[in-house]
Amino acid sequence: MNLIRTAVVCALASVAAVSFAGDRLDAIQKSGVIRVGTPADYRPFSMDEAGKIQGHDAELIEAMAAAAGWKVEYVKTPWKEIEAGVKGNRFDIAVGGITQTLARTTWGQFLPGYAPFGKVALVRKSELAKYKSVDDLNQPSVRVIKNPGGTNEQFVLKNLTKAQVSTHEKNYEIPGLIAEGKGDVMITETAEAKLYAKKDSRLAAAFIDHPLTPVNEMGFLMPTDDADFTRTMGYLWHLMEIRGELSRIEAKWFE
């Protein structure tokens, strides 16, 4: 009897999963709203600027939504909760400078990549000359500040084991801490390092011409539960490409 009951429960769970699988696009079409998860702390991709989400990723997802006749509802989500948000249906797509990784493809799927980058180090300009290699960063005297939950943290924990490593929850505040001398190094990606070095004359991007990691790309990250939704988002991305929106928005935020 217990085996029969277990089988029935499993069957019902499977039916529920299948019935949900095609519902995402239907729900978006019905409500006219696409829920967009983002940490909103990573310039120039997605940043909460006085209550308004701005940046490359924000402008692009809003343009895609407008082409479909949808409104965007942002769901601010810390980096360390992006995976749970995708799996738990807290939002329909995640944006904000999300690195495409093999691990993330095991539970999500990406739209085409953009913004090729490598890991670099944001440091004070006065100390730029001292950082020529990972070994120079990985010293007991070097204070590294990391943001939790992303691939930058993974790089730090793997490669900078001898350095003084601390964690700061608000990614966008770390460049200021480095500039003020409260830390020495922030590991980040090419675009963010260039942006903050341009915004603050006290900062510089180390390894910008020869990044610390092989080239990779960012991507908009989606659940895998609705093939119709995936195809629709791929079509909207293609529309942005042929209409020149991809290149226009990229030039605005990355150049």
Side-chain angles (χ1 to χ4, degrees), residues 88-100:
N89 191 33
R90 298 179 193 170
F91 41 78
D92 304 303
I93 190 167
V95 308
I98 299 173
T99 300
Q100 297 200 43

Side-chain angles (χ1 to χ4, degrees), residues 159-182:
N159 297 283
L160 305 184
T161 56
K162 297 177 183 178
Q164 300 177 47
V165 176
S166 62
T167 301
H168 191 79
E169 290 287 337
K170 296 180 179 179
N171 183 73
Y172 65 91
E173 292 181 348
I174 298 177
L177 297 176
I178 301 300
E180 294 166 8
K182 297 178 180 178

Side-chain angles (χ1 to χ4, degrees), residues 13-253:
S14 297
V15 170
V18 171
S19 64
F20 175 77
D23 288 348
R24 186 174 300 279
L25 182 59
D26 290 342
I28 294 170
Q29 296 282 36
K30 184 176 180 180
S31 67
V33 174
I34 182 170
R35 301 167 302 160
V36 178
T38 181
D41 67 352
Y42 190 4
R43 299 183 177 99
F45 299 99
S46 172
M47 182 69 199
D48 187 339
E49 306 281 7
K52 179 175 175 55
I53 308 298
Q54 299 188 57
H56 170 275
D57 290 19
E59 185 166 341
L60 181 52
I61 194 63
E62 287 174 12
M64 292 170 66
W70 306 333
K71 294 181 179 179
V72 169
E73 176 185 299
Y74 287 108
V75 182
K76 291 180 68 173
T77 307
W79 284 102
K80 59 187 177 182
E81 295 179 18
I82 290 293
E83 180 176 352
V86 170
K87 292 179 177 179
N89 191 33
R90 298 179 193 170
F91 41 78
D92 304 303
I93 190 167
V95 308
I98 299 173
T99 300
Q100 297 200 43
T101 67
L102 183 61
R104 284 171 173 157
T105 63
T106 64
W107 46 264
Q109 54 191 328
F110 288 99
L111 286 173
Y114 62 96
F117 71 90
K119 298 293 183 191
V120 299
L122 188 67
V123 302
R124 283 184 297 284
K125 185 179 293 185
S126 60
E127 298 185 346
L128 178 61
K130 69 186 286 188
Y131 300 115
K132 300 296 185 183
S133 67
V134 173
D135 286 342
D136 295 333
L137 300 171
N138 191 28
Q139 296 296 323
S141 60
V142 177
R143 298 166 299 165
V144 179
I145 306 178
K146 66 177 178 64
N147 178 249
T151 58
N152 293 329
E153 179 182 51
Q154 292 172 17
F155 180 91
V156 169
L157 295 178
K158 180 179 179 181
N159 297 283
L160 305 184
T161 56
K162 297 177 183 178
Q164 300 177 47
V165 176
S166 62
T167 301
H168 191 79
E169 290 287 337
K170 296 180 179 179
N171 183 73
Y172 65 91
E173 292 181 348
I174 298 177
L177 297 176
I178 301 300
E180 294 166 8
K182 297 178 180 178
D184 303 311
V185 171
M186 175 189 186
I187 297 298
T188 183
E189 280 87 29
T190 308
E192 184 178 40
K194 284 183 176 180
L195 175 68
Y196 280 107
K198 185 177 181 180
K199 288 170 66 75
D200 192 326
S201 62
R202 297 172 295 176
L203 297 173
F207 310 102
I208 202 73
D209 294 323
H210 301 285
L212 300 167
T213 58
V215 67
N216 202 347
E217 290 184 309
M218 303 296 183
F220 286 13
L221 182 59
M222 303 177 293
T224 60
D225 56 23
D226 189 338
D228 292 336
F229 174 67
T230 300
R231 285 191 295 270
T232 297
M233 296 306 294
Y235 170 72
L236 291 172
W237 184 278
H238 178 64
L239 279 186
M240 297 299 100
E241 182 176 22
I242 63 176
R243 292 177 179 176
E245 288 294 277
L246 287 185
S247 57
R248 179 189 68 78
I249 295 172
E250 180 175 328
K252 176 180 177 179
W253 291 101

